[in-house]
Structure formats: structure tokens, C-alpha cells
Amino acid sequence: MDLNEIGMRAVMAERKLRIISPEKKTEGLLNIATALRADQEKILQANDIDMALAKENGMSISMQDRLKLTPDRIEGMAKAVEDVAAWPDPVGRVIQEYDRPNGLHVKRVNVPLGVIGIIFESRPNVASDCASLCVRAGNTVILRGGHEAINSNIATTGVMRRALAEAGLPEDSIQLITDTSHETANKMMNLTEYLDVLIPRGGAELINRVVRNASVPVIQTGAGNVHIYVDKAADIEMAADIVENAKTQRPSVCNAAEKLLVHKDIADKALPVIAKRLYDKNVELRGDDEARKIIPEMNEATADDWGREYIDLIMGVKIVDSVEEAVDHIERYSTHHSDCIVTEDEEAAKYFLDNVDSAAVYWNASTRFTDGGQLGLGSEIGISTQKLHARGPMGVDQLVTYKFVITGQGQVRA
Amino acid sequence: MDLNEIGMRAVMAERKLRIISPEKKTEGLLNIATALRADQEKILQANDIDMALAKENGMSISMQDRLKLTPDRIEGMAKAVEDVAAWPDPVGRVIQEYDRPNGLHVKRVNVPLGVIGIIFESRPNVASDCASLCVRAGNTVILRGGHEAINSNIATTGVMRRALAEAGLPEDSIQLITDTSHETANKMMNLTEYLDVLIPRGGAELINRVVRNASVPVIQTGAGNVHIYVDKAADIEMAADIVENAKTQRPSVCNAAEKLLVHKDIADKALPVIAKRLYDKNVELRGDDEARKIIPEMNEATADDWGREYIDLIMGVKIVDSVEEAVDHIERYSTHHSDCIVTEDEEAAKYFLDNVDSAAVYWNASTRFTDGGQLGLGSEIGISTQKLHARGPMGVDQLVTYKFVITGQGQVRA
């Protein structure tokens, strides 16, 4: 099927889906969860083919781990779909309602975004996670996954489409592009006639490629060069707890901390405590000259380090003279995902929270909380690091737009 | 000055502007209005140079009219800036505030979008309109106007910058790119390091060029292939009033009607009444076969007409069999700006309002109300016809984003 055909089907399905009742959509989603469990064997067999090819092609063990499906992981996928099914339907919600002096009645009402394109890499669970979030908010979705997972994605998408159809929902609400060539991906990025939004799910390279090539509006997600600033008025034990948690609890995710800034007045005391915690967890520290005077075994940070997202057990360390210098550094190098100050000084905290312009700014808490579930937004389709539309975790409620519904009695403009 | 220098200055100014008090910003904006009036002669002289060049280059009379500034028009610009100054400052507004079970306190707070790029054509008032809206919401702006208006824009921008500086606001809150080459415009569209948003203000060609070339997130505004559907249960006089107003009151704007759909059961009676009104206002009608059976003097509509935005005294006319056919036609050809049903039948109205997915959908009122002022949103920077971020008229309140401000007592993630 060519992309125009897929696009047209997505649009036609969206026109049906947008007016389907919340209960019916819930039913469709719950049926997907049931079907994922019932058809587990089919999905695992397809995944076996992908895994065999992956081994043949010498895929790294960590990439193989991302690609691998197990009964437990499929149960996780089904559970995630159930969570989304339980989330209140945002479509039709009235944001604002008022009368104008001329008697016009104006409502702003939430409606689906429309057709959402998702370009993702090798994790096959992304297909069911994203598809369920889109459908909950009345959107149809066109998925384009990586070639390594193509058999898993075909199987999963097939199961989901049948489950929707059984529940009386349009099966074209969920479609997969099976041609995994770069050319087709590039065409998808420019399918402005059919796609309302494009969300890349994956690493920095994928996101940059989409931003450069797409004429469809893009929501950028993910890149996190996350900072923790330990102020001179910090509680050192609290700082050590937060840094350890933010760096080591799950170093491969975007809300994990990458940089540690320490105020010079507390560095002598705080840095040895924090560094010990990190070394105990096998973190490599890369410090500036001042930091290395305090902890000589630190490796040397280069200019290149400050802008980098390691996504690994590595942390850059810098000594700063003031909260102002910390903020300047963060504003220069942060990807504006999540940044944190640890301090007991309310004034320093206020300065930091007001002046750091990131999707999430923290005072005395781990940056690992930048997550839809943790912040009470439900499952998320990604964490937006751009400023248009939504910022930070994007759940079901962020997958809608609004329209003005205006009712008159024949009013015309003078 | 090169674009990187301009971008850097805009970012530095934005960091100052975002934390300036609402009162101070109001003062800066009022000072701009005062300065536009005080320096009127300077601006008019610069405009004279542009006008002389325009005549020399054989610019059309209607284009010359757009370019021309007069004391009245400068007064209008000053007045518009005062209106924006009077609008409540959205920055710092708390959208949502709650506690999580682990004791984290979460706030979602409105913050400026950041640095906004505006690419516009020959109307010199766009510079002061857009700049004041951006500054009100704490954003800095980089303006790039057409070469025909370059002297007017340099003068206006200079006056505004001095007025901001006098009021103690960063003058780099407003900058103009004086190099009006296409190459520089293309570079601006890809200035992702500095620009948060790009808003093209102008015709379809400009907007398409920006959408195709930009990697900076774009807000599409403007194109309006606007429909009015006269249902079989319409009040014919009301329908004639609305169609006449929507088509002829100001045919050059995006919320003017372009297409008339009439239910077959009422066409014999309604179409002659409506057509007479339109012919009296010198509107050219282009009908399908059924419409031309009723009004034989109508020109013939071609397939090409249905998707076109005329922005002129021309209207396409089509007879439809049902409200469903009207909705299908609109969903196929509309630019999703504004579309209207005229009917006394609540059920038909509900079907139309639910199923037409446009920024504004109307029941028994002229589409000319799709306007920030008319809908109570204040002055507008444009009318968004895309779905991300904002839809329909975008006023000051739509020129902000939000951030999560999270306060803890040392919480870490388990």
C-alpha cells in the first residue's frame, strides 16, 4: 500500500473515530489488551524471527535486549493499554464557554489532533503504547518502526487492528508502514496532506533527522542534558541522595542527570560525599579543574562534555561561584528537559526556578520524576522538549487540540 | 549583523524580559505607543522612500495601498499597541497546582515561548502589531519584513527599540533583519539554536515556503477556504444576510466566505434570493450544473474551484443532497479555518458542528467573527489553521507555553 493510500485511510478512519463515544473507545482499547494476551504466541513467533535476524546481523546485546519480547513483556504491553483505557476521554471537554455582547455563544471544545505519525526505533512495545494513547484521544495513528522489529510490529499491529474491528471501531485507526526504507520515512515526514503531527520516538539522531526533514509539524521529545545544582545552602545528605538517584537509578533514560554543578563554598564538604556515592555505583566522573583539585581521581572534562547527553554511567562535574553562574551555565547547555537545585535557601531556589527555562524545574527532588505517571498525567507518548503545544510529559490530555464552536441567531459583522 | 549575532542577542534579551514585571512591560509598551506618535514624521519620511521606489518599480495600486503609511495609520498602530499594553500579562499564571502522594508539590506555570521569528510581507504595521504582542507575553521577536517596506520597517523598529530602552527594557527584545534576501530568510527558518517558533504572516505562497523550508517549529496561519452551508431547514433571509456579510463585507481577508453549499430541497427558493444579494455587490458566482439550472447566468465552476481561496469577490456555489454531503465536501476541501451551517434544525446543526473539524465552526452566524477581537481574545498575531499549540485566533494568551515547577523535600524515585 502506498503512503497516500495509508494517509487517506487514516483520515477516513479519523473522521469516524472522532465522534465515537468514550465508552466505545474504552471497549476497543480493552479488546486490544485482551487480544495481545490471547495472541501472545503469534507475536512471540514473529519476534523470534526478528531476534534470529538480529543475531545473524551481529546486533549488540543491549539492542537485542530492547528488541526481545517475552510473555512478561507482552503482559506489560497489555497492562499499559488497560491503563490508557482507564484514563478519562478528553474529547468533547469544554475548556471555555462564554457569551459575547452581540449574543454569540462561544465554546472552546477539545477535539482530537487528527492523524498522528510515529517514527520509532527498535522497541516493539512502542507500537501498542503509542497506538493506545492516540486512540484514547480519538486520533488515528500511522506507525513506522525500525526494520529490526518489522515482524514483531506487523504481528502486534495486526492483533490490535483486529481487536478494534471486533469492537466496532475502524481498524484503520492503527496502521503500520511496512516499508522501512529511509526514502519512505522521508516521504512520511512530508505527508502534510494527511498527517497533522509527527512524533519521533528514539535517540537524538532520529529526532534531528525528523526535525531537519519534516514539513509536517513535529513534537520533539526526549533529549535530556539534565543538571543538578548543589547550592552553598544545600543539605549535603539530601544532595547526595538526589544526585545518586537521578544519575544511577536508571541512567539510560532522558530524565537521568548528566551534570553536577556545585557551589564553591560547599564543594570541599559536599563533593567528596557525593563522589563516593557515585563511585560506589561505578559512575565515571569528569570534572573541571576546580572539581579535580578536590577529587583528584576524577577524569578531566573537555569543552565538549558540557553539552552532551551521556545516557550512561558518566557525569560531568563543575564548580560554580554562585547560583547565577549555575543558571547561566544551565541556560547555555541544558536541553531544557529537567534541571534541579538542591538548597535550603528559598531565595536561591526562587532565582533558579524563575530563571531556568526547562520543561521541568526542581527544588529538592530527583529529576527522575519527569514522567507522565509520576506527575499524575497517566501514560505518556513522550516528554516534549520544545515549546509549542505541550511541554514535559505528554499524556492523553496533551494529544488533543480544540475548536471554537460558535452559535448565533443570524449575527453578521458590522 | 549576522543571524547568529541577532539570535544570540534575542536569547540574552529574552532571559531578561521573561522575569520583568507585568507593570514594567506595560510601561515599555505604552512608551512604544507614545514614541510612534512622537516620531511620526521620521516614520513617514522613511515610508516615502519605500513608496517612491514602489512607484518606480511599477508596484500595483493595491500593493501600494498596503505599503502606504499615513498619520491616521500610524495613530492606528499606536492605538493597537495600547490595546496590547492593556491586556493582562499571562506570564506566571498558574494553570494547575497539586500535590502528589509522595509529597511533591507540582505547579504548571505559564512562561513565554521564548524567541519568536516573524516573516511578513509588505504591510509595515505588522512590525508594531507583532512586536507588541510578543513583548506583552515576555517573548523577544526577530522580524523579517519584505524588501518593499525595508525603510519603513527600519524606522518603526528603531523607534520601538529606543522606546523600550527608555523604559528600562532590553532594546534587543525587538530586532529587525535588514537583509531581505531569500538566502537570509531561509537561514532564519533553520535558526533552531535561537528561535523557538516561527510565524509567517502573509499569503499562501509565503506560508508554503516557510512550511517546506523551516526546521524551526512553525505556526501556520491564514489560509481560509471558508464554506457556508445553507441547510434545507434554513431561514432564507438569515442565510442571505450571513452569506452577503461573510462574502462581501471584507473579501480580502481569511475569514471571508469562499464557497456556498445549498441543500437541494431549498435551492429553488434560497439561491435566487442569495444570488441577487451577491450580484448586487458585484460578486462573480461560479456554480456546478445544478446551481446553474437555477441561476443560468452563473459562470461554470471547474474542479479546480473547490479547493481555491479567491480572496476576491468570487464565490463557488454547489448544490448538495444532504447535510452529510455538505460535511463530506467541506472535510475534503476546507482549509479548516472557519465553516458555517445556516439552519433551524438542531439535529442538522449538531451533525455539522460535530463533524466539521475546523478551527471555528458556526451555526447561524457570519464567519467574519473568527477574529481575536470579535471572539474576546484581544489583538491577534494570526489565525492558526494547524492543530498544534493553538487553533483559530492567537492572542497574547496563546503566545506562552508552560513549565512544571516541582518542589520536594529530598524525594527520590524508588
Side-chain angles (χ1 to χ4, degrees):
Chain A
M1 221 191 296
D2 89 335
L3 278 191
N4 283 303
E5 171 76 18
I6 291 176
M8 188 101 68
R9 281 169 180 257
V11 167
M12 296 316 290
E14 195 271 321
R15 287 194 50 195
K16 290 180 194 148
L17 194 60
R18 73 166 80 132
I19 51 166
I20 282 175
S21 73
E23 295 73 25
K24 200 87 191 148
K25 278 184 273 177
T26 304
E27 206 183 308
L29 290 168
L30 291 177
N31 213 34
I32 287 180
T34 306
L36 287 172
R37 290 186 179 109
D39 290 342
Q40 180 187 301
E41 274 315 310
K42 203 182 294 176
I43 298 170
L44 289 174
Q45 277 163 23
N47 185 250
D48 284 345
I49 303 174
D50 288 330
M51 290 299 294
L53 283 167
K55 278 170 201 154
E56 224 176 281
N57 296 330
M59 184 186 273
S60 72
I61 298 297
S62 72
M63 287 293 284
Q64 282 190 38
D65 179 60
R66 287 179 183 213
L67 182 56
K68 173 104 185 131
L69 286 177
T70 62
D72 268 6
R73 287 187 174 179
I74 292 179
E75 174 57 30
M77 287 159 62
K79 201 75 200 50
V81 174
E82 284 172 344
D83 285 348
V84 172
W87 194 258
D89 195 315
V91 175
R93 205 173 276 169
V94 177
I95 308 173
Q96 209 185 359
E97 186 163 12
Y98 54 96
D99 290 307
R100 295 294 299 156
N102 62 1
L104 282 184
H105 183 72
V106 182
K107 277 200 293 192
R108 272 205 296 158
V109 183
N110 276 141
V111 296
L113 281 170
V115 182
I116 298 181
I118 309 273
I119 299 186
F120 60 108
E121 296 182 326
S122 55
R123 286 182 197 272
N125 64 303
V126 173
S128 59
D129 288 356
C130 290
S132 58
L133 285 160
C134 289
V135 168
R136 171 76 288 173
N139 305 288
T140 61
V141 66
I142 301 177
L143 300 162
R144 191 276 191 189
H147 68 275
E148 322 81 54
I150 186 67
N151 293 292
S152 312
N153 289 334
I154 289 174
T156 309
T157 311
V159 168
M160 294 194 289
R161 285 169 57 89
R162 276 192 300 278
L164 283 183
E166 278 168 26
L169 271 67
E171 60 178 357
D172 285 334
S173 302
I174 302 172
Q175 292 183 91
L176 177 73
I177 297 175
T178 53
D179 170 359
T180 58
S181 69
H182 267 31
E183 293 68 43
T184 300
N186 282 343
K187 273 188 207 151
M188 179 187 183
M189 296 178 204
N190 293 287
L191 211 61
T192 48
E193 200 181 337
Y194 305 109
L195 277 180
D196 293 292
V197 189
L198 196 57
I199 306 179
R201 284 273 311 242
E205 204 188 321
L206 171 70
I207 292 169
N208 290 337
R209 187 150 47 86
V210 172
V211 167
R212 269 200 316 277
N213 293 325
S215 44
V216 173
V218 173
I219 293 182
Q220 284 186 58
T221 61
N225 182 23
V226 169
H227 297 75
I228 296 182
Y229 164 59
V230 178
D231 186 50
K232 68 175 170 187
D235 174 324
I236 293 176
E237 274 306 306
M238 186 196 284
D241 288 346
I242 288 173
V243 174
E244 180 187 344
N245 183 261
K247 179 68 252 178
T248 70
Q249 197 239 358
R250 204 171 163 205
S252 65
V253 293
C254 59
N255 57 21
E258 303 287 14
K259 301 292 164 348
L260 170 65
L261 308 178
V262 184
H263 192 287
K264 66 174 169 39
D265 294 353
I266 201 174
D268 280 337
K269 274 190 191 160
L271 201 46
V273 178
I274 300 171
K276 178 170 188 325
R277 294 270 202 108
L278 295 173
Y279 280 134
D280 284 352
K281 295 270 173 128
N282 300 312
V283 176
E284 176 195 342
L285 298 183
R286 298 184 185 173
D288 70 353
D289 290 347
E290 296 306 309
R292 295 174 70 233
K293 279 184 198 156
I294 301 168
I295 313 282
E297 58 263 53
M298 266 189 205
N299 293 332
E300 200 174 333
T302 65
D304 179 52
D305 275 290
W306 307 121
R308 276 188 62 188
E309 186 189 15
Y310 304 117
I311 330 182
D312 202 347
L313 285 174
I314 306 172
M315 187 163 224
V317 184
K318 188 179 168 63
I319 307 299
V320 295
D321 287 350
S322 61
V323 63
E324 290 81 5
E325 191 192 337
V327 167
D328 286 348
H329 181 92
I330 292 170
E331 281 295 280
R332 178 152 178 209
Y333 293 106
S334 173
T335 52
H336 304 293
H337 183 298
S338 301
D339 296 289
C340 169
I341 181 173
V342 183
T343 189
E344 298 298 306
D345 175 359
E346 203 172 324
E347 213 170 299
K350 184 173 170 7
Y351 181 84
F352 185 95
L353 299 174
D354 283 351
N355 284 280
V356 171
D357 184 27
S358 296
V361 286
Y362 286 87
W363 176 18
N364 289 347
S366 170
T367 55
R368 290 275 297 116
F369 291 111
T370 307
D371 169 281
Q374 295 294 325
L375 293 180
L377 309 174
S379 309
E380 70 190 25
I381 204 155
I383 294 175
S384 164
T385 52
Q386 60 167 35
K387 296 191 183 169
L388 278 190
H389 190 68
R391 225 172 164 203
M394 291 184 63
V396 169
D397 290 348
Q398 282 70 46
L399 290 174
V400 292
T401 179
Y402 56 81
K403 67 180 178 187
F404 286 88
V405 179
I406 299 157
T407 309
Q409 300 80 35
Q411 282 87 337
V412 298
R413 191 156 162 195
Chain B
M1 221 191 294
D2 89 335
L3 278 190
N4 283 304
E5 171 75 17
I6 291 176
M8 189 100 67
R9 281 168 179 258
V11 167
M12 294 317 289
E14 196 270 321
R15 287 193 50 197
K16 289 180 194 148
L17 194 60
R18 75 166 78 132
I19 50 166
I20 283 175
S21 73
E23 296 74 24
K24 200 86 193 150
K25 278 185 273 177
T26 304
E27 206 183 308
L29 290 167
L30 292 176
N31 212 37
I32 287 179
T34 307
L36 287 172
R37 292 186 179 107
D39 290 341
Q40 181 187 299
E41 275 315 311
K42 202 180 297 177
I43 297 170
L44 290 174
Q45 277 163 24
N47 185 248
D48 283 345
I49 304 174
D50 289 331
M51 289 301 293
L53 283 167
K55 278 169 200 153
E56 223 175 280
N57 296 331
M59 185 187 273
S60 73
I61 299 296
S62 72
M63 286 293 283
Q64 282 189 38
D65 179 60
R66 286 180 183 211
L67 182 57
K68 174 107 184 125
L69 286 177
T70 63
D72 269 6
R73 286 188 176 180
I74 291 178
E75 175 56 30
M77 287 159 62
K79 199 79 200 52
V81 174
E82 285 171 345
D83 286 349
V84 172
W87 194 260
D89 195 314
V91 175
R93 206 172 274 169
V94 176
I95 308 171
Q96 211 186 358
E97 186 164 10
Y98 54 95
D99 290 304
R100 296 293 299 157
N102 60 2
L104 281 184
H105 183 72
V106 183
K107 279 200 292 191
R108 271 207 297 160
V109 183
N110 276 143
V111 294
L113 280 170
V115 182
I116 299 182
I118 309 273
I119 299 187
F120 61 109
E121 294 179 329
S122 55
R123 287 181 197 274
N125 65 303
V126 173
S128 58
D129 288 357
C130 290
S132 57
L133 285 160
C134 288
V135 169
R136 172 76 287 173
N139 304 288
T140 61
V141 65
I142 300 177
L143 300 161
R144 192 277 189 187
H147 69 275
E148 324 82 53
I150 186 67
N151 293 291
S152 314
N153 289 334
I154 289 173
T156 310
T157 310
V159 168
M160 293 194 291
R161 285 168 57 89
R162 276 191 300 278
L164 284 183
E166 278 167 28
L169 273 67
E171 61 178 357
D172 285 334
S173 302
I174 302 172
Q175 292 183 92
L176 176 73
I177 297 176
T178 53
D179 169 0
T180 58
S181 69
H182 268 31
E183 292 68 42
T184 300
N186 282 343
K187 271 187 209 155
M188 180 187 182
M189 296 177 204
N190 292 288
L191 210 59
T192 47
E193 200 182 337
Y194 305 109
L195 279 178
D196 293 293
V197 189
L198 196 58
I199 306 179
R201 283 272 311 242
E205 204 188 319
L206 171 69
I207 293 169
N208 290 338
R209 187 150 45 86
V210 172
V211 167
R212 268 200 317 277
N213 293 324
S215 44
V216 173
V218 173
I219 293 182
Q220 284 187 61
T221 62
N225 183 23
V226 169
H227 297 75
I228 296 184
Y229 164 60
V230 178
D231 186 50
K232 66 176 171 186
D235 173 325
I236 292 175
E237 275 306 306
M238 186 195 284
D241 289 346
I242 288 173
V243 174
E244 182 188 342
N245 182 262
K247 179 70 252 178
T248 71
Q249 197 240 356
R250 203 171 166 205
S252 65
V253 292
C254 59
N255 56 22
E258 302 287 11
K259 301 293 164 349
L260 171 63
L261 309 179
V262 185
H263 193 286
K264 65 175 172 33
D265 294 352
I266 202 174
D268 281 337
K269 278 193 190 156
L271 201 46
V273 179
I274 300 170
K276 182 171 184 326
R277 295 271 202 107
L278 295 173
Y279 280 133
D280 285 352
K281 297 270 173 130
N282 302 311
V283 176
E284 176 195 342
L285 297 182
R286 298 184 185 173
D288 69 351
D289 290 346
E290 297 305 310
R292 295 173 72 234
K293 280 183 196 156
I294 302 168
I295 313 281
E297 58 265 52
M298 264 187 207
N299 293 332
E300 200 176 332
T302 64
D304 179 52
D305 274 289
W306 306 122
R308 276 188 61 190
E309 185 189 16
Y310 304 118
I311 328 184
D312 203 345
L313 285 174
I314 305 171
M315 189 165 221
V317 184
K318 187 180 169 63
I319 307 299
V320 294
D321 287 350
S322 61
V323 62
E324 289 82 4
E325 191 190 338
V327 166
D328 286 348
H329 181 92
I330 292 170
E331 282 293 283
R332 178 154 176 205
Y333 291 108
S334 172
T335 53
H336 304 293
H337 183 296
S338 300
D339 296 289
C340 169
I341 181 171
V342 184
T343 189
E344 299 297 306
D345 175 0
E346 204 174 320
E347 213 171 299
K350 184 173 170 9
Y351 181 84
F352 186 95
L353 298 174
D354 283 352
N355 284 281
V356 171
D357 183 27
S358 296
V361 287
Y362 286 87
W363 177 17
N364 290 346
S366 170
T367 54
R368 289 276 295 114
F369 291 110
T370 307
D371 170 280
Q374 295 293 325
L375 293 181
L377 309 175
S379 309
E380 70 189 25
I381 203 154
I383 294 174
S384 163
T385 52
Q386 61 168 33
K387 297 191 183 168
L388 277 193
H389 189 69
R391 227 171 163 202
M394 287 184 65
V396 170
D397 290 348
Q398 282 69 45
L399 290 175
V400 291
T401 180
Y402 57 80
K403 68 180 179 188
F404 286 88
V405 179
I406 299 156
T407 307
Q409 300 81 33
Q411 282 87 340
V412 298
R413 192 156 161 196

